[in-house]
Amino acid sequence: MNALATVGRVLLSYVFWYPLVMSAVWMVGAALFWWRRERGQSSWDAPVPLADPPPISVLIPCFNEEENAAETITHALALDYPDVEVIAINDGSRDGTAAVLERLAEVHPRLRVIHLAENQGKAVALRTGALLARHEILVCIDGDALLDRHAAHWLVRHFVQKPGVAAVTGNPRIRNRSTILGRVQVGEFSCIVGTIKRAQKTFGRIFTVSGVITAFRRSAVHQVDYWSTDVLTEDIDITWKLYRAGWDVLFEPRALTWILMPETLRGLWKQRLRWATGGAQTLLRNLDAWVKPSQRHLWPLLLEMTASAVWAYALLALSLLWLLGLVLPAGMVPPVGSPLVPASGGVLLGTACLLQFVFSTAMDARYDRGLGRALFWMIWYPVAYWVIGAATTIAAYPLVFARGKGARARWVSPDRGIRP
């Protein structure tokens, strides 16, 4: 009984202290990133033009994007950049996507359309586009992403200045904000995603590029055999493949794109389960990096991923102990307290969460006008997203083991917001 009580106290301490410590690490790292790289300039300012800008190819995989393709391609063609070709890859769509793309190609000579006979998955679509692209720099976006007109300049300058850079990921912003879930995700991408990417780059490597907006050096992608076709998150996988081949990956917060996100619980669960499963696949595939000193630059990321997975399972174990204590006779299970936070530490954890929200909102407001109006809705983030994040992580690892390696990864985008 004493041993079980000790285990319960250890789990409770870890579940409480892990997010608190990481919140402090993220804020410190993000502040250093901002001071060194963002201070004094915003994305609304026109970037200084490159002396000799290299041409770029914008790759847009489309699967059942009849509603979004025209708007996405129009924004890509409107980039304020001297030499751009846009390649739309119709990945075996079953709706009217093909017809929409062909109509656009008739009036836009810089648009090329590639049709795949059947759905092959985003990784195959990207590989096809990369092989047929005319240029070395590939800007890859999703079929619902609206590029900011200056995004290409902010991304490409890193390739010109740093030959060792293989990929530069941009800064996705949420454009559908009609529901509580949508508004909470506005805060999530500013206060969580953007802050973590800044901190990770300050202390070493970012965990993953954003699949909705990343520019790649094609020769680097070719060296690592392009995007893997058997992972559910090709963006995480390609990031780690590039790291292991000795390339660097950067985060450029001024390269904006506006995206649609799920606004139903079902859609949100499907999306986050795919993300968690892809993260689990990446962790398990790269465990051998622990025993390779040449890969020590990945050790902080491996440690962070492992600690995050342990936190989710610790929360599950603590919840089970707590529930058993409620239903079993007194004394059979030692009291371990709440499965979420210790009663004496709830105020501290809540204060740290709000501090991170305010800090991140102030830092990202230059990229997202009206971001402060979402601050009220961000207070629901711990309730909605910590629970979903932990639940999807817990579910992901059994799915990875059941799935095995080599199966083709195909997935359908979840809902993209409540449409009027």
Side-chain angles (χ1 to χ4, degrees), residues 124-330:
V124 172
L126 287 172
R127 179 192 289 254
T128 303
L131 290 171
L132 297 176
R134 297 189 178 103
H135 306 310
E136 169 71 355
I137 305 301
L138 310 174
V139 178
C140 303
I141 64 174
D142 278 357
D144 66 331
L146 307 183
L147 283 169
D148 178 78
R149 62 192 301 265
H150 298 308
H153 273 289
W154 289 119
L155 293 169
V156 173
R157 68 192 186 100
H158 294 286
F159 296 100
V160 175
Q161 297 168 358
K162 302 171 183 177
V165 169
V168 183
T169 188
N171 190 358
R173 316 304 303 176
I174 309 301
R175 59 187 173 111
N176 52 324
R177 309 178 181 192
S178 58
T179 67
I180 292 178
L181 283 180
R183 293 166 186 166
V184 171
Q185 287 175 99
V186 173
E188 177 189 26
F189 270 72
S190 298
C191 301
I192 306 299
V193 176
T195 299
I196 291 176
K197 275 186 166 56
R198 289 178 174 91
Q200 287 175 336
K201 190 57 193 174
T202 295
F203 298 129
R205 303 289 193 277
I206 63 173
F207 168 60
T208 179
V209 300
S210 296
V212 293
I213 175 171
T214 298
F216 294 93
R217 195 184 298 272
R218 182 167 62 174
S219 55
V221 174
H222 176 76
Q223 180 186 341
V224 299
D225 196 27
Y226 299 92
W227 295 264
S228 299
T229 61
D230 61 343
V231 293
L232 288 172
T233 49
E234 79 295 325
D235 46 2
I236 303 177
D237 180 76
I238 191 69
T239 305
W240 284 65
K241 288 168 70 173
L242 291 169
Y243 283 149
R244 301 201 68 166
W247 292 92
D248 195 13
V249 175
L250 302 181
F251 171 54
E252 177 48 74
R254 288 163 290 202
L256 305 180
T257 190
W258 301 87
I259 62 174
L260 298 170
M261 293 292 282
E263 288 190 293
T264 66
L265 286 174
R266 182 173 181 271
L268 185 65
W269 171 264
K270 289 174 60 179
Q271 180 195 63
R272 300 311 163 94
L273 181 59
R274 183 177 67 82
W275 290 1
T277 304
Q281 287 177 313
T282 300
L283 175 59
L284 295 174
R285 290 185 179 196
N286 290 278
L287 285 176
D288 64 307
W290 277 119
V291 297
K292 296 182 178 180
S294 63
Q295 302 292 315
R296 59 184 177 274
H297 57 283
L298 293 177
W299 291 352
L301 284 179
L302 286 168
L303 179 61
E304 183 181 344
M305 293 175 69
T306 303
S308 179
V310 170
W311 181 84
Y313 281 98
L315 181 62
L316 174 64
L318 189 63
S319 300
L320 293 175
L321 285 175
W322 179 65
L323 289 173
L324 287 173
L326 293 177
V327 300
L328 294 177

Side-chain angles (χ1 to χ4, degrees), residues 60-66 68-69 89-95 97 101 118-122 125 142-143 410-413 416:
I60 310 176
C62 301
F63 177 64
N64 292 346
E65 295 288 0
E66 180 180 7
N68 303 305
I89 307 98
N90 173 30
D91 187 20
S93 298
R94 295 187 289 269
D95 61 357
T97 299
L101 296 179
E118 60 182 32
N119 179 234
Q120 297 290 325
K122 185 178 177 182
D142 278 357
R410 297 182 180 90
W411 49 273
V412 178
S413 296
R416 283 159 169 173

